[in-house]
Amino acid sequence: MDLQYFDRNLPQFSLDQVQTVVADLYRINGDFKELNCERDISYRIRTERGPAFVVKISNAAEPEGVVDFQIKALQHIVEQDRALRVPRVIHTTDDKPFDWIQSDCGDRHMIRMLTFVDGSVMDHTPAAFNPRTRFNIGVMLGRVTKSLRNFYHPYARSNDHLWDMSRCLELRPHIGYLPDGSTRQLCNRILDRAERLILPQLKMTRWQVVHHDAHPDNLLVDPADPTRVIGVIDFGDMLFGPVLADLAAASDSFQDDGTDPLDALCDTAAGYDSSFPLEENEIDLAYDMMLICLLVNTIIVGARDALHDGLEKVHIENTGLFPRMLERLWETGRENAIVRLRRACGFPVYSARQEGDEVFPDHTQQLLAKREDRLGDVWYFYDKPLNFTRSEGPWLYTAAGTAYLDAYNNVQQAGLANRQIARAIARQTAAINVNTRYICDIVADYAKRLTAELPAHLNACFFVNSGSEANDVAVQMAKFATGNTGALIMEDAYHGMTETTMCLSPEIYQPPDNVACLQAPDMYRGPFADEPDAAQKYAADADRAIADLAAHGHKPAVFMVDTALCSNGVLMAPDNYFNLVAQKAKQAGAMVVADEVQAGLGRLGNMWGFKAQALDHVDVVTLGKPVANGFPLGVVITSRALLNRFSQAIDLFSTFGGNPVACAAGLALLDEIERRDFIRKSRELGDYFRHQLQKLAGQQALIGDVRGKGMMIGLEFVTDRARKTRASKQTAQLIELLKEERVLVSEAGPKNVLKLRPNFSWQREHVDLFISTLDRCLSKI
Ligand code: PMP
């Protein structure tokens, strides 16, 4: 940028001349008061009739297109947001938005008239310098940016001026004008970082026409309540630039009163974000942009001061505020600033995502202490639990930005932080979320979609908030329908954490007398593993279990089963096993409940786990975990007749269960399953995964068995393949080694089996990465 720009070269007109021209062009007379402008001259005119105006005579160097740009932008803002108090353009008596006048020395200048916006200039209103006003400045500027969102003008890129933050590097030659060595040094450091990191990232944020000059001289507050920001003026620095420039300019509204510049930035950002939501890459650059804003002010004001040595009337007085604030903000540090900015705008706390991002120190120990204090001593994965702050697809990221491949988590089945589902949740929340005793369309739409591919008799849904609740309600229904009090379940099953479902969870709790456990149909190491009629033999255990119940005075109300047999170590039951047990249970009076919390929604390569496992008839299906990709939702699906009888008998209701937001999440998950062909993917990628594991078994003797269906895989380790000796210690060691190699897995019920449940965002490359890492880790054991 040319140094001559430091010479403001103001238009040369006497007050008399201006008054004559104004009377001639606009028929406006009144009291003229000169306003402080950088390159133009402006007067406020108070007329006798009341309304006040501002006349502006542009710098001779100003291109006509730029003035047209400013006029059209003001007209556009008013069209978009009528209530925004910005200057309105007044046309000349012959209806021109601006005209030309000539100075004595022959220069031609544009002249235009605007309405004067009333209010107290913030800079002259000490009571306006407080956090609430700063928030409201942000709100106001957000509205200005929003109203300019869809504005285009061919001269938007032609308003060249020194203050353009995105061109800050061009100010580098002028750093030498600054008197103080340490400020110079800091300016150079900031520009170095801007060049290397910040400006390239800024290019990836949103750009549009921005006001770019919302400092306290251009903001008007209500004299009766200075926290109310009522107007924005001076659109002369508008240009096509990053949205963040508006936020940064609006955030330097502090006096020399000890305000922390980061406080100012956070307050303003929170307000700005509330009317023009910031994007995540923007919030992480806001601090740097504020540094650049202060740097631009520091250099220009300092250099002008040095060049003109107080001779020319100065535009901005050099009080040393900018370099002081610059230094202070720099000392705050990027990490601290980003954490605070994220909190201010409700973004989850920072974690690095790309190269060049700051790596923050690990604070897991402090976090653990804080959690224990308020959350108690609960169970976490790993001796040294992992603190994740961000996720995407198959990856979980720690605060320091370390990525872990998630092969365990079956809740976010459509991918971690699935954008479509997140958006559906946000949009529904913004529209309506309400007690489920009012009626909303989306709930019925979702129930219809969810049951579309189920057998015809499974045609009614009751919504709750979790898998446990769904199973609890299913058991209540079964008891109500059958009049029986007992339950049949698999040994080592897990069905939930309510009082009723805990009794059905022998994986963790000792079942009471009315619950009988069935021997798991283990085709790898079970007693009938190698027998052709294994299904009948395992199923015969149901007769024993029913007899046991009878011995305690119970008949089974329910046979509840997770057909993925996940907590049994992802066993693959012999053909027809589930049907045989179901028939016996039904004969004894029970209803069959398929607990699809693990197996449902495509996990086993079929929409429904019981179908994948060829269980022909079920009376009830329950869903949880992945049904809304992690948003709390549980579902009980049964026949309309049973649901009606049951709900009338006990006045069944759940305040939150199946609320419109949960249903929006559930519906979005069904869309994802369909559009991204997840069921086929589950089959194909699951088969590929097992095939690669089988291949690895050729080299790694610890692998005893590879089994499963779809994207549910059981991987059993043995120290001796012939004897099938459980490699429990080695499995525990492997889990830790994999963690060190940034891969997350967990054991299934038996301590020598891993249950692998990758989400559907996995690709072959992730499977390959898993296999090579597993290979490396097994070689270390
Ligand atoms: N059923 C099965 C088969 C499960 O695996 C689980 C949870 N692991 C539940 C029910 C309970 O679901 P929630 O934790 O959502 O209550």
PDB file of all heavy atoms in Angstrom, residues 340-361:
ATOM      1  N   ARG A 340     -11.921 -19.230  26.219  1.00  0.00           N
ATOM      2  CA  ARG A 340     -12.913 -18.249  26.703  1.00  0.00           C
ATOM      3  C   ARG A 340     -13.909 -17.850  25.613  1.00  0.00           C
ATOM      4  O   ARG A 340     -15.098 -17.689  25.864  1.00  0.00           O
ATOM      5  CB  ARG A 340     -12.196 -17.022  27.260  1.00  0.00           C
ATOM      6  CG  ARG A 340     -11.502 -17.359  28.563  1.00  0.00           C
ATOM      7  CD  ARG A 340     -11.602 -16.316  29.655  1.00  0.00           C
ATOM      8  NE  ARG A 340     -12.498 -15.235  29.425  1.00  0.00           N
ATOM      9  CZ  ARG A 340     -12.169 -13.957  29.547  1.00  0.00           C
ATOM     10  NH1 ARG A 340     -10.944 -13.629  29.885  1.00  0.00           N
ATOM     11  NH2 ARG A 340     -13.054 -13.013  29.365  1.00  0.00           N
ATOM     12  N   LEU A 341     -13.398 -17.689  24.404  1.00  0.00           N
ATOM     13  CA  LEU A 341     -14.299 -17.320  23.308  1.00  0.00           C
ATOM     14  C   LEU A 341     -15.307 -18.431  23.030  1.00  0.00           C
ATOM     15  O   LEU A 341     -16.486 -18.178  22.802  1.00  0.00           O
ATOM     16  CB  LEU A 341     -13.490 -17.058  22.037  1.00  0.00           C
ATOM     17  CG  LEU A 341     -12.924 -15.649  21.936  1.00  0.00           C
ATOM     18  CD1 LEU A 341     -11.755 -15.611  20.965  1.00  0.00           C
ATOM     19  CD2 LEU A 341     -14.012 -14.672  21.499  1.00  0.00           C
ATOM     20  N   ARG A 342     -14.818 -19.662  23.066  1.00  0.00           N
ATOM     21  CA  ARG A 342     -15.718 -20.795  22.829  1.00  0.00           C
ATOM     22  C   ARG A 342     -16.792 -20.848  23.903  1.00  0.00           C
ATOM     23  O   ARG A 342     -17.962 -21.071  23.611  1.00  0.00           O
ATOM     24  CB  ARG A 342     -14.921 -22.102  22.812  1.00  0.00           C
ATOM     25  CG  ARG A 342     -14.227 -22.305  21.486  1.00  0.00           C
ATOM     26  CD  ARG A 342     -13.442 -23.583  21.446  1.00  0.00           C
ATOM     27  NE  ARG A 342     -13.157 -23.896  20.069  1.00  0.00           N
ATOM     28  CZ  ARG A 342     -13.884 -24.717  19.311  1.00  0.00           C
ATOM     29  NH1 ARG A 342     -14.903 -25.351  19.817  1.00  0.00           N
ATOM     30  NH2 ARG A 342     -13.580 -24.921  18.049  1.00  0.00           N
ATOM     31  N   ARG A 343     -16.385 -20.629  25.150  1.00  0.00           N
ATOM     32  CA  ARG A 343     -17.388 -20.647  26.229  1.00  0.00           C
ATOM     33  C   ARG A 343     -18.400 -19.531  26.012  1.00  0.00           C
ATOM     34  O   ARG A 343     -19.599 -19.721  26.180  1.00  0.00           O
ATOM     35  CB  ARG A 343     -16.715 -20.451  27.586  1.00  0.00           C
ATOM     36  CG  ARG A 343     -15.890 -21.634  27.993  1.00  0.00           C
ATOM     37  CD  ARG A 343     -16.206 -22.113  29.429  1.00  0.00           C
ATOM     38  NE  ARG A 343     -15.642 -23.429  29.622  1.00  0.00           N
ATOM     39  CZ  ARG A 343     -14.428 -23.642  30.102  1.00  0.00           C
ATOM     40  NH1 ARG A 343     -13.671 -22.637  30.489  1.00  0.00           N
ATOM     41  NH2 ARG A 343     -13.984 -24.871  30.231  1.00  0.00           N
ATOM     42  N   ALA A 344     -17.891 -18.349  25.628  1.00  0.00           N
ATOM     43  CA  ALA A 344     -18.777 -17.186  25.470  1.00  0.00           C
ATOM     44  C   ALA A 344     -19.845 -17.450  24.419  1.00  0.00           C
ATOM     45  O   ALA A 344     -20.968 -16.956  24.525  1.00  0.00           O
ATOM     46  CB  ALA A 344     -17.952 -15.951  25.101  1.00  0.00           C
ATOM     47  N   CYS A 345     -19.503 -18.228  23.411  1.00  0.00           N
ATOM     48  CA  CYS A 345     -20.459 -18.438  22.309  1.00  0.00           C
ATOM     49  C   CYS A 345     -21.081 -19.829  22.323  1.00  0.00           C
ATOM     50  O   CYS A 345     -21.776 -20.197  21.378  1.00  0.00           O
ATOM     51  CB  CYS A 345     -19.770 -18.195  20.971  1.00  0.00           C
ATOM     52  SG  CYS A 345     -19.247 -16.488  20.795  1.00  0.00           S
ATOM     53  N   GLY A 346     -20.824 -20.589  23.376  1.00  0.00           N
ATOM     54  CA  GLY A 346     -21.472 -21.892  23.485  1.00  0.00           C
ATOM     55  C   GLY A 346     -20.917 -22.941  22.535  1.00  0.00           C
ATOM     56  O   GLY A 346     -21.613 -23.902  22.208  1.00  0.00           O
ATOM     57  N   PHE A 347     -19.692 -22.752  22.063  1.00  0.00           N
ATOM     58  CA  PHE A 347     -19.048 -23.837  21.313  1.00  0.00           C
ATOM     59  C   PHE A 347     -18.380 -24.762  22.324  1.00  0.00           C
ATOM     60  O   PHE A 347     -17.792 -24.281  23.291  1.00  0.00           O
ATOM     61  CB  PHE A 347     -17.937 -23.303  20.394  1.00  0.00           C
ATOM     62  CG  PHE A 347     -18.444 -22.726  19.105  1.00  0.00           C
ATOM     63  CD1 PHE A 347     -18.619 -21.364  18.968  1.00  0.00           C
ATOM     64  CD2 PHE A 347     -18.727 -23.546  18.030  1.00  0.00           C
ATOM     65  CE1 PHE A 347     -19.079 -20.820  17.784  1.00  0.00           C
ATOM     66  CE2 PHE A 347     -19.184 -23.012  16.843  1.00  0.00           C
ATOM     67  CZ  PHE A 347     -19.362 -21.645  16.717  1.00  0.00           C
ATOM     68  N   PRO A 348     -18.430 -26.092  22.089  1.00  0.00           N
ATOM     69  CA  PRO A 348     -17.711 -26.968  23.014  1.00  0.00           C
ATOM     70  C   PRO A 348     -16.242 -26.551  23.092  1.00  0.00           C
ATOM     71  O   PRO A 348     -15.711 -25.993  22.120  1.00  0.00           O
ATOM     72  CB  PRO A 348     -17.844 -28.339  22.368  1.00  0.00           C
ATOM     73  CG  PRO A 348     -19.047 -28.235  21.508  1.00  0.00           C
ATOM     74  CD  PRO A 348     -19.103 -26.815  21.029  1.00  0.00           C
ATOM     75  N   VAL A 349     -15.651 -26.825  24.224  1.00  0.00           N
ATOM     76  CA  VAL A 349     -14.296 -26.327  24.460  1.00  0.00           C
ATOM     77  C   VAL A 349     -13.322 -26.877  23.431  1.00  0.00           C
ATOM     78  O   VAL A 349     -13.472 -27.967  22.908  1.00  0.00           O
ATOM     79  CB  VAL A 349     -13.866 -26.628  25.906  1.00  0.00           C
ATOM     80  CG1 VAL A 349     -12.387 -26.351  26.103  1.00  0.00           C
ATOM     81  CG2 VAL A 349     -14.668 -25.746  26.834  1.00  0.00           C
ATOM     82  N   TYR A 350     -12.337 -26.087  23.201  1.00  0.00           N
ATOM     83  CA  TYR A 350     -11.398 -26.274  22.103  1.00  0.00           C
ATOM     84  C   TYR A 350     -10.668 -27.601  22.075  1.00  0.00           C
ATOM     85  O   TYR A 350     -10.272 -28.138  23.081  1.00  0.00           O
ATOM     86  CB  TYR A 350     -10.355 -25.162  22.232  1.00  0.00           C
ATOM     87  CG  TYR A 350      -9.342 -25.163  21.134  1.00  0.00           C
ATOM     88  CD1 TYR A 350      -9.659 -24.598  19.916  1.00  0.00           C
ATOM     89  CD2 TYR A 350      -8.099 -25.731  21.315  1.00  0.00           C
ATOM     90  CE1 TYR A 350      -8.740 -24.604  18.893  1.00  0.00           C
ATOM     91  CE2 TYR A 350      -7.174 -25.727  20.299  1.00  0.00           C
ATOM     92  CZ  TYR A 350      -7.491 -25.167  19.095  1.00  0.00           C
ATOM     93  OH  TYR A 350      -6.586 -25.168  18.095  1.00  0.00           O
ATOM     94  N   SER A 351     -10.490 -28.116  20.873  1.00  0.00           N
ATOM     95  CA  SER A 351      -9.436 -29.096  20.675  1.00  0.00           C
ATOM     96  C   SER A 351      -8.874 -28.907  19.275  1.00  0.00           C
ATOM     97  O   SER A 351      -9.587 -28.545  18.354  1.00  0.00           O
ATOM     98  CB  SER A 351      -9.935 -30.512  20.855  1.00  0.00           C
ATOM     99  OG  SER A 351     -10.611 -30.951  19.714  1.00  0.00           O
ATOM    100  N   ALA A 352      -7.580 -29.139  19.161  1.00  0.00           N
ATOM    101  CA  ALA A 352      -6.916 -28.942  17.879  1.00  0.00           C
ATOM    102  C   ALA A 352      -7.477 -29.927  16.863  1.00  0.00           C
ATOM    103  O   ALA A 352      -7.860 -31.031  17.202  1.00  0.00           O
ATOM    104  CB  ALA A 352      -5.431 -29.174  18.055  1.00  0.00           C
ATOM    105  N   ARG A 353      -7.555 -29.513  15.616  1.00  0.00           N
ATOM    106  CA  ARG A 353      -8.121 -30.392  14.612  1.00  0.00           C
ATOM    107  C   ARG A 353      -7.220 -30.504  13.397  1.00  0.00           C
ATOM    108  O   ARG A 353      -7.224 -31.483  12.700  1.00  0.00           O
ATOM    109  CB  ARG A 353      -9.480 -29.872  14.205  1.00  0.00           C
ATOM    110  CG  ARG A 353     -10.273 -30.902  13.439  1.00  0.00           C
ATOM    111  CD  ARG A 353     -11.700 -30.517  13.340  1.00  0.00           C
ATOM    112  NE  ARG A 353     -11.876 -29.090  13.156  1.00  0.00           N
ATOM    113  CZ  ARG A 353     -13.031 -28.553  12.817  1.00  0.00           C
ATOM    114  NH1 ARG A 353     -14.072 -29.304  12.671  1.00  0.00           N
ATOM    115  NH2 ARG A 353     -13.157 -27.250  12.657  1.00  0.00           N
ATOM    116  N   GLN A 354      -6.454 -29.468  13.152  1.00  0.00           N
ATOM    117  CA  GLN A 354      -5.620 -29.542  11.962  1.00  0.00           C
ATOM    118  C   GLN A 354      -4.211 -29.076  12.286  1.00  0.00           C
ATOM    119  O   GLN A 354      -3.980 -28.442  13.322  1.00  0.00           O
ATOM    120  CB  GLN A 354      -6.206 -28.693  10.855  1.00  0.00           C
ATOM    121  CG  GLN A 354      -6.404 -27.255  11.265  1.00  0.00           C
ATOM    122  CD  GLN A 354      -7.254 -26.501  10.246  1.00  0.00           C
ATOM    123  OE1 GLN A 354      -8.031 -27.086   9.521  1.00  0.00           O
ATOM    124  NE2 GLN A 354      -7.073 -25.202  10.212  1.00  0.00           N
ATOM    125  N   GLU A 355      -3.342 -29.387  11.383  1.00  0.00           N
ATOM    126  CA  GLU A 355      -1.951 -29.028  11.605  1.00  0.00           C
ATOM    127  C   GLU A 355      -1.844 -27.514  11.758  1.00  0.00           C
ATOM    128  O   GLU A 355      -2.525 -26.761  11.058  1.00  0.00           O
ATOM    129  CB  GLU A 355      -1.113 -29.482  10.414  1.00  0.00           C
ATOM    130  CG  GLU A 355       0.236 -29.962  10.860  1.00  0.00           C
ATOM    131  CD  GLU A 355       0.949 -30.679   9.748  1.00  0.00           C
ATOM    132  OE1 GLU A 355       0.359 -31.623   9.196  1.00  0.00           O
ATOM    133  OE2 GLU A 355       2.058 -30.265   9.448  1.00  0.00           O
ATOM    134  N   GLY A 356      -1.006 -27.101  12.673  1.00  0.00           N
ATOM    135  CA  GLY A 356      -0.869 -25.665  12.876  1.00  0.00           C
ATOM    136  C   GLY A 356      -1.723 -25.190  14.033  1.00  0.00           C
ATOM    137  O   GLY A 356      -1.495 -24.136  14.599  1.00  0.00           O
ATOM    138  N   ASP A 357      -2.753 -25.976  14.379  1.00  0.00           N
ATOM    139  CA  ASP A 357      -3.565 -25.606  15.542  1.00  0.00           C
ATOM    140  C   ASP A 357      -2.702 -25.731  16.790  1.00  0.00           C
ATOM    141  O   ASP A 357      -1.829 -26.586  16.867  1.00  0.00           O
ATOM    142  CB  ASP A 357      -4.764 -26.551  15.693  1.00  0.00           C
ATOM    143  CG  ASP A 357      -5.883 -26.205  14.723  1.00  0.00           C
ATOM    144  OD1 ASP A 357      -5.719 -25.223  13.989  1.00  0.00           O
ATOM    145  OD2 ASP A 357      -6.886 -26.927  14.707  1.00  0.00           O
ATOM    146  N   GLU A 358      -3.001 -24.880  17.743  1.00  0.00           N
ATOM    147  CA  GLU A 358      -2.289 -24.919  19.022  1.00  0.00           C
ATOM    148  C   GLU A 358      -2.516 -26.269  19.704  1.00  0.00           C
ATOM    149  O   GLU A 358      -3.625 -26.801  19.674  1.00  0.00           O
ATOM    150  CB  GLU A 358      -2.871 -23.841  19.927  1.00  0.00           C
ATOM    151  CG  GLU A 358      -1.917 -23.295  20.919  1.00  0.00           C
ATOM    152  CD  GLU A 358      -1.347 -21.961  20.427  1.00  0.00           C
ATOM    153  OE1 GLU A 358      -1.660 -21.544  19.314  1.00  0.00           O
ATOM    154  OE2 GLU A 358      -0.588 -21.375  21.177  1.00  0.00           O
ATOM    155  N   VAL A 359      -1.495 -26.827  20.301  1.00  0.00           N
ATOM    156  CA  VAL A 359      -1.681 -28.069  21.070  1.00  0.00           C
ATOM    157  C   VAL A 359      -1.738 -27.683  22.537  1.00  0.00           C
ATOM    158  O   VAL A 359      -0.815 -27.100  23.080  1.00  0.00           O
ATOM    159  CB  VAL A 359      -0.529 -29.055  20.808  1.00  0.00           C
ATOM    160  CG1 VAL A 359      -0.628 -30.246  21.734  1.00  0.00           C
ATOM    161  CG2 VAL A 359      -0.593 -29.523  19.354  1.00  0.00           C
ATOM    162  N   PHE A 360      -2.856 -27.986  23.153  1.00  0.00           N
ATOM    163  CA  PHE A 360      -3.057 -27.561  24.536  1.00  0.00           C
ATOM    164  C   PHE A 360      -2.581 -28.628  25.505  1.00  0.00           C
ATOM    165  O   PHE A 360      -2.643 -29.814  25.201  1.00  0.00           O
ATOM    166  CB  PHE A 360      -4.541 -27.285  24.777  1.00  0.00           C
ATOM    167  CG  PHE A 360      -5.050 -26.096  24.028  1.00  0.00           C
ATOM    168  CD1 PHE A 360      -6.381 -25.806  23.985  1.00  0.00           C
ATOM    169  CD2 PHE A 360      -4.178 -25.260  23.337  1.00  0.00           C
ATOM    170  CE1 PHE A 360      -6.865 -24.709  23.292  1.00  0.00           C
ATOM    171  CE2 PHE A 360      -4.641 -24.170  22.649  1.00  0.00           C
ATOM    172  CZ  PHE A 360      -5.983 -23.896  22.623  1.00  0.00           C
ATOM    173  N   PRO A 361      -2.122 -28.214  26.689  1.00  0.00           N
ATOM    174  CA  PRO A 361      -1.634 -29.209  27.654  1.00  0.00           C
ATOM    175  C   PRO A 361      -2.757 -30.120  28.151  1.00  0.00           C
ATOM    176  O   PRO A 361      -3.918 -29.723  28.198  1.00  0.00           O
ATOM    177  CB  PRO A 361      -1.082 -28.359  28.790  1.00  0.00           C
ATOM    178  CG  PRO A 361      -1.526 -26.978  28.550  1.00  0.00           C
ATOM    179  CD  PRO A 361      -2.012 -26.843  27.162  1.00  0.00           C
TER     180      PRO A 361
END
